Amino acid sequence: MKVPLSWLREYVDLPAATAHEVADRLTMAGLKLESITSYGHDVKNVVVGEVLEIEELTGFKKPIRHCKVEVGEATPREIVCGATNFVAGDRVPVVLPGGVLPGGFEVGARKTYGRMSEGMICSERELGLGDDHNGIMVLPAGTPIGTDVVELLGLRDDVIELEITPDIGYALSVRGVAREVATAFGVAFRDPADVEVPAETEPSWPASIGDPTACDRFVLREVRGFDPAAQSPLWMRVRLSRAGMRPVSLAVDITNYLMLELGQPLHAFDRSKLTGEIVVRRAREGERLETLDHVVRELDPDDILITDQSGPISMAGTMGGLETEISDGSTDIVIEAAHFSATGISRESRRHGLVSEASKRFERGVDRELPLVASWRAVRMLAELGGATVQPGVTHAEVDVTPARIAIPAGHPSAVAGVPYSKEVVVGRLEQVGCLVTDGDDPAVREGGVDPTGVVTGGELAARLAVTGPDMITVTPPSWRPDLTDPNDLAEEVIRLEGYDRLPSVLPSAPAGAGLTEGQRLRRRVGRALAEGGHVEVLSYPFIGADDFDRLQLPADDARRRAMRLANPLSEDEPLMRTTLLPGLLKTLVRNVGRGFGDVALFETGAVYRPRENAPAAAPVLGVSRRPTEEELASIEAALPDQPLRVAVVLAGEFERSGWWGSGRQASWADAVQAARLVAAESRVELSISADQHEPWHPGRCAALYVGDTLVGHAGELHPRVIEAYGLPPRTAAMELELSRLESGMPGPVQAPPVSPYPVATQDVALVVPDFTPVADVEAALRDGAGELLESVRLFDVYAGEQVGEGNKSLAYTMRFRAAGRTLTVEETTAARDAAVAMAADRVGAQLRSA
């Protein structure tokens, strides 16, 4: 919303405040400043001149005129001009030599087209008054010669541009901003809507409201004999341009001017094009309307229309129809002003992708009391500026609406802000906003939260907060503030007008025993461990498409194909909630590789969404007037999917980088398994690994990850078809593991292990086993056989060759033994080693490798 400061001063007795000071006060009051633009402050030496003589110069490709212009000096000025829309005797703005136009454009005397030109005759655009550059600006006859044009036309002005959020629709008008400025400076406010409207009972044009949910007030007034050639006055065109609207014609400019000033959108119909009674209703199946932008629109049954006997003539509150628009020959005009449903206009505007200045205001809430005033002012201006005759009578269709009443404790703003406000301050600030405040409370409002008319007032909250103070007040918000609907809205008004800068910065006290849960700690530890292990964390959107299941080579009956579909997805290509983390990670990997980063190790931690068996198709939609019952909460819970927390890793390229120190190492399935080991170590659980076949992994290079008998994830190299489908680098590896299952298997609080002061004894052992034997099974057998003296076991070599026989492999381990209370003997460590070898021989058929 762009608001010229000069327009504000008409309704507010501002002190000698600059635009920046006004903007600062508005910002303190909670309005967001976008920019401040200054006009005309650099303009100088522009005066009114009268054209005395015009000489047409010939021999040039375009019309050139040599003019003598009287500017109030001893002798007339000679000026060369290319415009042809003025004649001798016209009064025009003239920049004298040394003068400056907007933008710092300096004008001097120079010879051009063979004649001396001592200045310049200006158009509206050159003076910064608009975009009209079709000809010279001709001033009214009788304008005093030599008058300073800057003062005459009000060229010097500042425009404050505000960003209007949805909850302050009243500020989409000069009236609303002026009220805020008056409150901020503590000065008087003159309401432009405070005009006396004649009491008339005769209808102007027959009209009715066909759907009370779409419109609760509809007003029509009529003028005849309007002069379609009448021009909008300069002051109106300047204000419209400064406020960001393009002047069109007098009738349209008047409706736009009043919309900017009052906040009430208006629409003008050509009376000769109307047929029969006008009805405000919802659209019917199959109806169409060609709007003013020459687009034929298929109407939805939820659209709000203004219709006559011919059918739809306007999309209410959004855009008029082409058939009934006023034209260059319209002399009889019907002015419409109404109060439409805010949600209805919002949905209509978005449904058709049609956002207009009118729809912006209606969807934020318009003052219900304005249609009578705004329509009266519109017809009066058409009469005064366009020579029209106002026809007696007014059509006023109305649906009774009882204003909301809100009962709150006078101490509620204090309880919200943590700052003591007296009852007098609370009442005074609410009355400044325009509220009607009475002492006490209506029992119906306090006890039920709903007044006798059924308007929700927030009384339930007021009753709960009665402990904040003994005094209750009942507040009736003004008609121009439909956003004030509950006690917290009123508290916000008191707090912002008292000043957000007066709110203290107080850190909340931490209650005893609060802190991170064990699950939150685990998630942080896992992220830190993976990052320290060389992985980079990413955050992907939790959305996937059905084609991701195919690219992952999932079987038709795979549970991961059952996914929740979004009602309003961001993209139709990804309308499903993810059931696995891998698609998002793989797409991120492809994006990195495509941008030249081929050595990538990524991880992500997040929830997946797995629909429950026999769950309801959709969760119930509940109101907000009360707390849901336990049964309603249970029905919502039943419709929600399971949301286990998972961690996933993908790797491609070099995991250990090459350089001057030597060659690196390519990432492989073993690194994916090691990432799972890192996660398990942070969870303090023992991870067992066995071969498996599970999509999307390679059937011969896939490991199943277990904690006890519980499957917690998979790791390995991706299937070649998956790599091809996503366009991944060859031999890409991945791991996905369910943290929620690890958390449930975690032991209790960490116990510090005893530290032995005695030395460690080391024994190496090399075992020959069949090459299909999992290393994890061999290690588990060694641990179980060695007993309590074993401190650690580590695989340091794997060999396959002629020395161990075909179909075999050699696994070499270092075993460390230590006792807590003594130094171990050679006999004890040898016996423990032999027991471990015996257990491996019994379980996996291992044999000691000979030298």
Side-chain angles (χ1 to χ4, degrees):
M1 178 67 189
K2 296 181 178 180
V3 185
L5 191 59
S6 61
W7 205 344
L8 284 177
R9 291 186 185 276
E10 283 195 12
Y11 308 120
V12 181
D13 294 326
L14 273 178
T18 66
H20 288 275
E21 291 171 338
V22 174
D24 287 343
R25 296 289 184 97
L26 290 175
T27 300
M28 296 297 291
L31 278 72
K32 183 179 178 182
L33 175 68
E34 278 289 298
S35 64
I36 298 176
T37 306
S38 296
Y39 293 92
H41 291 277
D42 54 350
V43 177
K44 64 179 182 179
N45 213 14
V46 184
V47 299
V48 177
E50 181 181 0
V51 180
L52 301 178
E53 299 177 10
I54 299 177
E55 178 188 355
E56 304 287 346
L57 303 183
T58 59
F60 301 101
K61 294 182 180 180
K62 61 180 180 179
I64 298 297
R65 312 169 95 188
H66 182 251
C67 309
K68 286 188 177 181
V69 184
E70 173 63 48
V71 293
E73 297 176 340
T75 58
R77 293 279 185 174
E78 296 184 4
I79 300 175
V80 175
C81 182
T84 59
N85 68 311
F86 63 95
V87 297
D90 282 345
R91 303 288 169 94
V92 294
V94 178
V95 186
L96 300 178
V100 180
L101 290 175
F105 179 71
E106 188 171 346
V107 176
R110 66 191 181 96
K111 191 171 183 179
T112 181
Y113 295 101
R115 300 296 181 94
M116 179 60 67
S117 182
E118 302 173 306
M120 186 173 99
I121 307 175
C122 303
S123 67
E124 289 187 12
R125 191 171 74 177
E126 288 163 343
L127 292 173
L129 295 175
D131 295 328
D132 188 2
H133 196 54
N134 294 324
I136 292 304
M137 180 181 183
V138 179
L139 300 172
T143 305
I145 297 174
T147 303
D148 184 1
V149 170
V150 172
E151 297 298 329
L152 176 70
L153 302 181
L155 294 184
R156 292 194 181 99
D157 204 353
D158 295 297
V159 176
I160 301 172
E161 184 175 1
L162 303 170
E163 180 183 326
I164 307 302
T165 53
D167 60 324
I168 54 171
Y170 66 91
L172 277 172
S173 65
V174 176
R175 179 195 188 205
V177 177
R179 183 181 279 110
E180 289 290 339
V181 171
T183 302
F185 282 90
V187 296
F189 166 66
R190 293 180 294 278
D191 191 349
D194 187 15
V195 297
E196 186 176 350
V197 178
E200 297 176 296
T201 57
E202 293 298 320
S204 173
W205 185 277
S208 63
I209 297 174
D211 187 343
T213 66
C215 175
D216 56 37
R217 175 163 283 173
F218 191 74
V219 175
L220 297 176
R221 295 185 189 271
E222 184 181 343
V223 297
R224 296 185 186 178
F226 174 74
D227 180 7
Q231 295 292 316
S232 301
L234 179 62
W235 59 266
M236 181 180 288
R237 300 201 307 273
V238 170
R239 283 191 170 175
L240 288 174
S241 298
R242 298 273 167 87
M245 301 196 76
R246 180 177 60 88
V248 179
S249 63
L250 178 58
V252 174
D253 291 350
I254 287 173
T255 60
N256 286 336
Y257 180 86
L258 291 174
M259 177 181 68
L260 291 172
E261 184 178 69
L262 301 176
Q264 172 65 54
L266 299 166
H267 187 69
F269 294 104
D270 187 328
R271 184 183 184 279
S272 65
K273 299 175 182 178
L274 297 175
T275 56
E277 182 185 18
I278 291 178
V279 179
V280 184
R281 59 171 174 82
R282 303 279 181 174
R284 295 168 184 160
E285 201 68 40
E287 285 189 312
R288 307 168 74 191
L289 174 66
E290 184 175 4
T291 46
L292 292 174
D293 56 358
H294 299 277
V295 175
V296 178
R297 302 184 184 275
E298 301 289 339
L299 301 176
D300 186 273
D302 196 40
D303 289 341
I304 304 173
L305 301 180
I306 299 174
T307 67
D308 64 5
Q309 286 185 358
S310 66
I313 58 175
S314 176
M315 291 177 64
T318 305
M319 184 173 285
L322 189 64
E323 288 297 323
T324 56
E325 75 165 330
I326 56 175
S327 63
D328 294 340
S330 300
T331 58
D332 299 340
I333 297 174
V334 174
I335 294 293
E336 168 256 310
H339 185 258
F340 299 112
S341 163
T343 56
I345 298 301
S346 176
R347 290 169 181 164
E348 177 180 278
S349 173
R350 281 153 181 76
R351 185 181 302 115
H352 293 278
L354 190 60
V355 179
S356 63
E357 291 294 330
S359 69
K360 288 179 186 177
R361 287 161 174 80
F362 277 121
E363 68 185 13
R364 286 168 169 80
V366 171
D367 186 351
R368 188 177 179 273
E369 303 302 321
L370 278 178
L372 283 170
V373 173
S375 60
W376 172 247
R377 285 198 57 192
V379 296
R380 290 300 306 161
M381 292 179 77
L382 288 171
E384 294 168 3
L385 303 176
T389 301
V390 179
Q391 297 301 297
V394 58
T395 299
H396 183 198
E398 182 181 15
V399 177
D400 289 335
V401 175
T402 302
R405 293 172 294 158
I406 309 170
I408 67 168
H412 180 49
S414 301
V416 172
V419 175
Y421 299 125
S422 66
K423 180 179 178 181
E424 291 71 21
V425 168
V426 171
V427 172
R429 289 302 190 184
L430 291 177
E431 288 178 342
Q432 275 186 318
V433 173
C435 298
L436 174 64
V437 184
T438 57
D439 282 331
D441 65 326
D442 187 324
V445 175
R446 172 174 48 80
E447 294 173 8
V450 177
D451 72 6
T453 66
V455 178
V456 177
T457 63
E460 181 181 357
L461 176 61
R464 293 202 311 268
L465 295 174
V467 295
T468 61
D471 295 326
M472 293 290 292
I473 56 177
T474 298
V475 181
T476 303
S479 58
W480 59 84
R481 293 299 303 273
D483 58 298
L484 302 180
T485 58
D486 66 48
N488 288 327
D489 293 332
L490 301 179
E492 180 184 0
E493 293 301 303
V494 174
I495 295 167
R496 76 177 183 86
L497 292 181
E498 280 294 298
Y500 290 123
D501 57 315
R502 297 175 60 183
L503 297 179
S505 295
V506 180
L507 290 175
S509 57
L516 297 177
T517 65
E518 191 58 37
Q520 291 169 329
R521 291 192 182 96
L522 173 61
R523 183 168 179 173
R524 290 192 179 188
R525 290 199 306 270
V526 166
R528 190 179 301 114
L530 289 173
E532 291 173 352
H535 303 79
V536 177
E537 185 174 15
V538 299
L539 292 175
S540 306
Y541 282 117
F543 313 126
I544 59 175
D547 60 333
D548 282 310
F549 301 139
D550 297 329
R551 288 193 279 182
L552 291 174
Q553 307 296 311
L554 301 186
D557 59 348
D558 195 297
R560 287 170 290 179
R561 283 187 176 269
R562 293 186 61 246
M564 304 284 289
R565 178 174 289 274
L566 294 168
N568 187 23
L570 291 179
S571 169
E572 289 300 331
D573 294 332
E574 295 180 329
L576 307 177
M577 298 297 290
R578 67 188 177 193
T579 57
T580 169
L581 298 180
L582 291 180
L585 275 173
L586 297 180
K587 292 171 186 176
T588 304
L589 173 62
V590 170
R591 191 177 303 114
N592 278 269
V593 172
R595 284 160 175 75
F597 298 96
D599 304 321
V600 183
L602 306 175
F603 81 94
E604 181 174 10
T605 306
V608 297
Y609 306 88
R610 308 296 290 271
R612 299 172 181 171
E613 294 291 339
N614 303 319
V621 179
L622 307 179
V624 295
S625 60
R626 58 174 176 79
R627 185 186 185 279
T629 64
E630 294 301 325
E631 292 76 13
E632 290 171 334
L633 291 175
S635 65
I636 293 175
E637 180 67 27
L640 293 177
D642 289 327
Q643 301 174 49
L645 186 65
R646 291 192 172 188
V647 59
V649 168
V650 296
L651 307 106
E654 290 186 343
F655 191 70
E656 294 178 2
R657 303 298 173 84
S658 58
W660 60 265
W661 52 85
S663 60
R665 182 177 62 80
Q666 292 292 312
S668 70
W669 61 269
D671 296 298
V673 174
Q674 180 58 25
R677 292 184 185 277
L678 288 175
V679 174
E682 295 300 327
S683 307
R684 306 194 308 278
V685 297
E686 189 71 28
L687 196 67
S688 60
I689 300 168
S690 62
D692 196 7
Q693 293 187 17
H694 187 72
E695 294 77 9
W697 283 273
H698 190 294
R701 298 171 188 147
C702 174
L705 311 174
Y706 287 89
V707 173
D709 296 330
T710 303
L711 177 67
V712 296
H714 289 85
E717 184 180 309
L718 292 177
H719 196 290
R721 292 197 188 97
V722 176
I723 291 175
E724 181 182 1
Y726 277 100
L728 303 170
R731 310 299 291 270
T732 298
M735 179 275 290
E736 186 170 24
L737 195 153
E738 194 155 305
L739 280 178
S740 299
R741 293 181 183 176
L742 290 185
E743 183 183 353
S744 63
M746 289 173 59
V750 176
Q751 300 294 327
V755 179
S756 173
Y758 296 94
V760 65
T762 302
Q763 292 274 358
D764 288 345
V765 60
L767 302 175
V768 178
V769 296
D771 57 7
F772 58 80
T773 305
V775 173
D777 292 351
V778 179
E779 183 179 323
L782 292 174
R783 287 183 181 278
D784 293 343
E788 295 180 355
L789 295 179
L790 181 67
E791 184 176 83
S792 67
V793 57
R794 182 177 67 86
L795 177 69
F796 69 86
D797 185 54
V798 178
Y799 171 75
E802 294 181 0
Q803 297 182 17
V804 296
E806 185 178 352
N808 294 327
K809 61 183 176 182
S810 171
L811 306 176
Y813 292 91
T814 294
M815 304 178 70
R816 293 164 56 92
F817 299 92
R818 194 194 313 254
R822 69 185 190 281
T823 300
L824 292 176
T825 65
V826 174
E827 291 77 11
E828 287 177 308
T829 57
T830 301
R833 183 202 65 183
D834 292 343
V837 172
M839 180 66 74
D842 181 59
R843 286 189 182 177
V844 298
Q847 295 179 357
L848 272 176
R849 179 182 171 185
S850 59

